[in-house]
Amino acid sequence: MERNRPIYVRSTIVSVEQKSSNQWQLTDEGKSVVDNGSHEAIVFNTIPSDGMLQGELMSSVPNAKIGFSKAMSAGWIRMDKKAEGGPRVFRKVESIQDSVKECLEKIRSLNLDGITDAQKAEFKKRKLITSVKVNSFYVTKGEGFTLDIEKLEADLTAEMMANGSWKKKTFKPYNFKALGIMPPSGHLHPLLKVRAQYRQIFLEMGFAEMPTNNFIECSFWNFDSLFQPQQHPARDAHDTFFISDPANAHDFPKDYLERVKKTHSEGGYGSQGYKYDWKIEEAQKNILRTHTTAVSARMLYKLAQQKKFTPVKYFSIDRVFRNETLDATHLAEFHQIEGVVADYGLTLGDLMGIIYEFFKKLGITQLRFKPAYNPYTEPSMEIFSFHKGLKKWVEIGNSGVFRPEMLLPMGLPEDVSVIAWGLSLERPTMIKYGIDNIRDLIGPKVNLQMVYDNPICRLDK
Ligand code: FB9
């Protein structure tokens, strides 16, 4: 091995050069001519010395029409149209030279000597030959040509360095274009990808995220603080999951609880209340929260304890639980997305405006609002968007202005209003990733490969 040649470079064993060319090849008909003679030669050879009826000739040989025409043009045969019994065909010469057959034999052996362009054009027109592109590889010996395939070393080892054996080895050159091995990594679930997008939208709009790390909530914060009466059907076990241990909560702001109790049972703040015997035992019951509005209530109460009110924008995206009938798009839990704005003198127009802004960041601009009912908001509106794919208006959320019976017992100033809206995380995720059954998105039957494979989430695209 030359001393000055780098150890990792192997000299060329063979050089390969690709060349493309167009080549004439025989068609099946051309091959038949080589095997059986040209059509005109077959016609000539079929005619006996005393001639034959043209009709008989034309029906007795294949390709008789082209053969007859070419034989006539070549001066090999003649026709007597007035012969007795009908037009007869006779030979004009003793013998013929089948040049078509001879040329095609040469073309088959790739010998085009003496074959004119006009002949090639004629054969091509008669569909006897066709031009094909042929890719050829010309292999020549390189300066390092050898018949022994020497194993290229992939690694320079300490042992080679120590004993000097590296000097006699040839190393495989590094392939710096090789892609690295995909490192094993985690994969975000589609729901979490979409949650990140919604979180980003809220943050861009100046909202702060609420602490939602308590799936278990007491009925007081989940219902009573929201002025939702204790006999409301949503508070029954068929809609709500109750916790057996600990079944009850005991830590409430005492003064606030009394104000809530009074507002429900006797009214107050201009409201007649529900006029029922409000029971703390109902408020103490622990449940799995049915909406993140329970967290909003806690945050608004905390806000009201400030000496001086300050406007806020809060949001939350987290799991809520409802003991509802399951189907292809509903499970007993879902992720609720909620936005809340508290400020002086907010109106329904402000609520519509901020909902427009929110959904515009999702690429949705066609909205409609439909009057609705929520126990804790008045007025309330369902939000609809025109779905281009389905060509119809679909519900995409709910919204409203929190009632004074909810806000004033907390201690918020009378001129402060709070607007809020909500939607689910699952619905947009299923739409985004084209998932029809929620069990393909969430739950024990989810195909984890879907989690690995599904693309990045961009909600505005
Ligand atoms: O998310 C819903 N639909 C939706 C949302 C987004 C979407 O695509 C994205 C825009 C690109 C497509 C559809 N809905 C609300 C409407 C329906 O899906 C509905 O059938 C299911 N609703 C859930 C509750 O059902 C028991 C979705 C969930 C929901 C409903 C209401 C709220 C939150 C979630 C609320 C609220 C609220 C109201 C006032 C004040 C505070 C909170």
Side-chain angles (χ1 to χ4, degrees), residues 198 291-293 296 320 322 324 329-330 334-340 359 362 364 374 376-377 380-381 383 385 387 394-402 419-429 431 459:
Y198 276 97
H291 49 196
T292 49
T293 318
S296 306
V320 297
R322 298 191 185 180
E324 286 182 329
T329 58
H330 289 86
F334 65 91
H335 287 73
Q336 179 174 339
I337 299 170
E338 181 162 328
V340 179
F359 281 106
L362 294 165
I364 292 174
N374 292 320
Y376 40 86
T377 54
S380 307
M381 302 179 298
I383 309 161
S385 159
H387 192 295
V394 294
E395 183 187 349
I396 60 170
N398 195 300
S399 64
V401 182
F402 283 128
I419 56 177
W421 75 99
L423 64 153
S424 74
L425 185 61
E426 283 74 7
R427 294 296 292 137
T429 304
I431 291 171
L459 285 181

Side-chain angles (χ1 to χ4, degrees), residues 164-185:
S165 62
W166 58 271
K167 294 170 190 168
K168 297 184 178 61
K169 295 185 182 300
T170 306
F171 289 84
K172 199 176 181 182
Y174 281 109
N175 173 6
F176 293 104
K177 293 188 180 123
L179 291 176
I181 299 167
M182 178 66 84
S185 68

